[in-house]
């Protein structure tokens, strides 16, 4: 079962401890071998974009980056449609959006998968 990390507020102390434990373990460099990751940036961010791309590539994955200028999140394309479309081609979608509500709508549109 896939679980979504949507808010620190909704995360138990036990889950946070598990996240920290997992973060401290070495990750095999082939963990994301041939995995497709879509990065959605409604808000521009050099550091987040650069570190995310580098991390996925170092783990063997493939990255596609989509900016708000390309998508038009909730103006040309609804957040739900963006999520459903990317979920068909990507194993992971990471989204930096202006509103947490947009993030929650994207998760709901893909049934949390």
């Amino acid at each position: 079962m896939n679980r979504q990390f949507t808010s620190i507020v909704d995360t138990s102390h036990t889950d946070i401890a598990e996240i920290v434990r997992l973060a401290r373990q070495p990750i095999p460099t082939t963990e994301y071998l041939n995995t497709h990751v879509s990065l959605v940036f409604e808000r521009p961010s050099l550091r987040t974009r650069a570190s995310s791309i580098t991390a996925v590539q170092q783990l063997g994955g493939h990255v596609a980056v989509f900016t708000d200028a390309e998508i038009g999140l909730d103006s040309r394309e609804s957040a739900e449609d963006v999520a459903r479309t990317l979920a068909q081609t990507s194993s992971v979608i990471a989204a930096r959006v202006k509103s947490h509500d947009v993030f929650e709508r994207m998760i709901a549109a893909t049934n949390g998968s």
Side-chain angles (χ1 to χ4, degrees):
M1 174 176 119
N2 289 330
R3 292 178 54 197
Q4 307 299 320
F5 184 86
T6 57
S7 172
I8 194 79
V9 175
D10 300 329
T11 307
S12 71
H13 292 286
T14 303
D15 285 345
I16 291 173
E18 179 66 4
I19 290 167
V20 170
R21 185 189 71 75
L22 290 170
R24 289 183 170 170
Q25 292 182 349
I27 299 172
T29 56
T30 58
E31 184 70 24
Y32 284 87
L33 188 63
N34 295 320
T35 297
H36 296 273
V37 177
S38 287
L39 303 176
V40 176
F41 287 94
E42 184 180 23
R43 302 183 103 166
S45 171
L46 174 64
R47 286 178 291 279
T48 302
R49 182 175 172 156
S51 61
S52 298
I53 291 170
T54 300
V56 172
Q57 290 175 341
Q58 286 180 344
L59 295 172
H62 304 283
V63 181
V65 178
F66 302 95
T67 65
D68 192 44
E70 297 163 322
I71 296 172
L73 197 62
D74 277 340
S75 60
R76 287 192 319 269
E77 303 281 345
S78 71
E80 292 84 355
D81 191 44
V82 169
R84 283 189 295 265
T85 299
L86 294 178
Q88 292 175 7
T89 60
S90 301
S91 299
V92 176
I93 301 170
R96 182 178 176 131
V97 293
K98 294 176 184 173
S99 168
H100 192 70
D101 175 65
V102 169
F103 184 60
E104 290 176 339
R105 288 173 34 224
M106 292 175 82
I107 292 169
T110 60
N111 297 315
S113 60

